Amino acid sequence: MKSFCVKGHAKINLFLHVVGKEEIGYHLIEGLFVFANLSNFLEIKVGEKDFRYDNSIVEFVNSELRINNRYNTVMRAVNLLLRYAPVRTKIIVKVVKNIPIAAGLGSGSSDAGAIIRTLGKLWKIDRSILNEIALSVGADVPASIDSKPVLVRGIGEELCPIKKLSLPTNIVLVKPKKKFLSTPEVFSKYKGDFSKPIEWSDDAEKDLLKLLKETKNDLQEIVVSLIPEIEDVILALESQKGSILSRMSGSGVACFGMFDNEENAKAATANIREKQPEWWVCDTQLIT
């Protein structure tokens, strides 16, 4: 049996615009996805199937919420990938959760992306097939295969890699304790006007901070109406020394603060933890 130890990195939406809606109901988005050193750890074991036992097993460790072992992003990805396995195969996955779930940080998507990346390479599956599998698992999963900075459009299938992430990389993540939201729930409440797509160019990529200050998270207002504490989180991040930009990530409930240097980021983490001991707070760095 082959064993692999891999990481699923946290995804942060630096901005997220809702630009339209398909007839079948999916919202069309535009956003800048980046990934952080904060990660889940996956131990993946691959071996030939024994007909006496179930085909695949997944175990989650350190999760705030109980995850259904049969219906989750890892199992969906595994079951789709097994169609391309060279022999009848059994997969065993142990996931150690460090990224909060249902928080807009792509915890489940990062797990699926790591599985698809690992088994896709092992079985030499064509990248176009991997992208199709990823999208069928979840909208954030295609970007999570490589876990590199990317402009995402459509329902998550249009990826435009960022050549150079010209941004400060020190990030503080904050989530109110015991607050969770599902992505479908948040999108179902979106009734506002659609945002106009940004004009993407080499100049925009060269000055990403200027671009970020001209953008927003279209879902933030909805989440604040459901969990007003999100406003307190953003204000806490904005009030710290060295704060450059603060907003909610994805469909919430976690928020990020971008800082000018590591010292200020760590000081902000300590300050917020001291004042709000019930909140989950983590300082990390963006992967460039």
Side-chain angles (χ1 to χ4, degrees):
M1 180 169 276
K2 295 181 179 179
S3 294
F4 303 88
C5 292
V6 298
K7 295 180 179 180
H9 293 278
K11 173 225 60 172
I12 301 170
N13 295 84
L14 295 183
F15 76 86
L16 182 64
H17 294 166
V18 182
V19 299
K21 190 174 183 179
E22 289 189 335
E23 291 183 6
I24 58 175
Y26 289 110
H27 285 86
L28 302 173
I29 62 99
E30 180 178 64
L32 182 56
F33 289 17
V34 293
F35 295 84
N37 285 332
L38 172 67
S39 58
N40 295 335
F41 294 94
L42 292 85
E43 182 181 359
I44 308 167
K45 295 183 178 180
V46 184
E48 289 194 28
K49 180 181 177 181
D50 186 327
F51 287 91
R52 296 172 296 173
Y53 301 102
D54 289 341
N55 192 43
S56 298
I57 300 171
V58 60
E59 174 191 5
F60 295 94
V61 180
N62 197 39
S63 176
E64 292 178 273
L65 294 175
R66 186 177 182 276
I67 303 173
N68 189 309
N69 280 8
R70 290 187 177 272
Y71 302 101
N72 54 71
T73 57
V74 172
M75 285 303 299
R76 296 204 322 256
V78 165
N79 288 334
L80 291 168
L81 287 161
L82 282 172
R83 301 175 186 178
Y84 302 91
V87 295
R88 296 187 69 88
T89 304
K90 179 184 181 71
I91 307 291
I92 301 173
V93 184
K94 179 180 179 180
V95 183
V96 179
K97 287 283 195 181
N98 297 308
I99 308 168
I101 66 174
L105 296 176
S107 187
S109 298
S110 71
D111 297 340
I115 291 286
I116 292 169
R117 179 173 66 247
T118 304
L119 298 184
K121 183 178 180 180
L122 176 65
W123 294 333
K124 297 180 174 59
I125 303 173
D126 187 83
R127 181 56 189 249
S128 63
I129 295 174
L130 296 182
N131 288 342
E132 290 177 7
I133 290 173
L135 190 62
S136 67
V137 175
D140 290 347
V141 182
S144 298
I145 297 177
D146 294 324
S147 296
K148 294 179 180 179
V150 63
L151 181 72
V152 179
R153 288 182 168 131
I155 61 173
E157 82 284 8
E158 298 179 32
L159 306 179
C160 178
I162 306 299
K163 299 170 188 174
K164 183 179 180 180
L165 190 67
S166 54
L167 287 171
T169 58
N170 294 287
I171 296 288
V172 176
L173 299 172
V174 182
K175 183 187 94 61
K177 189 175 181 180
K178 296 183 179 178
K179 301 293 184 182
F180 309 94
L181 285 175
S182 73
T183 298
E185 176 187 2
V186 176
F187 271 100
S188 70
K189 296 182 182 299
Y190 185 83
K191 307 298 181 184
D193 295 332
F194 296 125
S195 291
K196 182 181 178 181
I198 63 171
E199 294 184 7
W200 185 251
S201 64
D202 288 342
D203 288 338
E205 184 169 336
K206 289 176 182 176
D207 196 350
L208 288 176
L209 190 55
K210 178 176 181 292
L211 172 70
L212 289 182
K213 291 182 177 180
E214 296 171 351
T215 59
K216 60 178 181 173
N217 185 333
D218 283 342
L219 302 179
Q220 186 169 303
E221 186 176 338
I222 294 171
V223 174
V224 168
S225 71
L226 297 171
I227 304 177
E229 195 175 359
I230 296 301
E231 279 194 333
D232 298 331
V233 171
I234 294 172
L235 286 172
L237 286 164
E238 289 177 340
S239 67
Q240 303 300 315
K241 180 182 178 181
S243 173
I244 296 173
L245 177 73
S246 300
R247 64 175 51 137
M248 188 182 76
S249 177
S251 57
V253 293
C255 302
F256 71 88
M258 181 179 290
F259 286 80
D260 57 356
N261 60 52
E262 185 176 3
E263 181 181 358
N264 284 334
K266 288 189 176 299
T269 300
N271 292 339
I272 295 171
R273 279 180 180 158
E274 182 179 1
K275 293 180 180 179
Q276 298 289 348
E278 293 295 302
W279 290 356
W280 174 87
V281 189
C282 173
D283 60 279
T284 186
Q285 293 79 36
L286 299 183
I287 299 170
T288 58

